[in-house]
Amino acid sequence: MRGLTRAAAKELARDSIRVNAVHPGIIETPLAYDPDGNPIVPVDNLAVPRNAAPDEIADFILFTASDQARFATGSEVLADGGYMLGAIA
């Protein structure tokens, strides 16, 4: 994904086409739970101890596609509530 994002950004930048990758964390959907209803990834010890609402990720993607982010291309952005930071004691 990283290579594809960067290659596309490089190739398309001169045509004013921006390419960025958004890497979401766990999203509050049925896929976040096993068949018994238990969370697949526990979030209690994470910086933001909850799953993302789908609209939170959608809003973030809309921002990266908006003119407010017009100078960003070839970027990878985490929208994971600190998931990649790991557990907080």
Side-chain angles (χ1 to χ4, degrees), residues 1-86:
M1 187 50 70
R2 175 176 287 151
L4 179 62
T5 299
R6 295 184 73 177
K10 208 173 193 182
E11 185 172 322
L12 298 169
R14 297 290 171 130
D15 295 319
S16 298
I17 298 172
R18 296 178 295 112
V19 180
N20 296 295
V22 174
H23 302 277
I26 308 303
I27 301 171
E28 187 63 36
T29 67
L31 293 175
Y33 300 92
D34 69 18
D36 295 325
N38 300 310
I40 292 175
V41 177
V43 295
D44 296 340
N45 291 331
L46 299 180
V48 179
R50 63 178 180 79
N51 295 337
D55 63 316
E56 289 176 298
I57 302 304
D59 288 344
F60 197 80
I61 291 169
L62 286 172
F63 168 74
T64 62
S66 76
D67 282 342
Q68 291 177 315
R70 65 187 165 272
F71 200 61
T73 193
S75 298
E76 300 172 62
V77 187
L78 292 173
D80 68 354
Y83 177 79
M84 294 302 290
L85 297 173

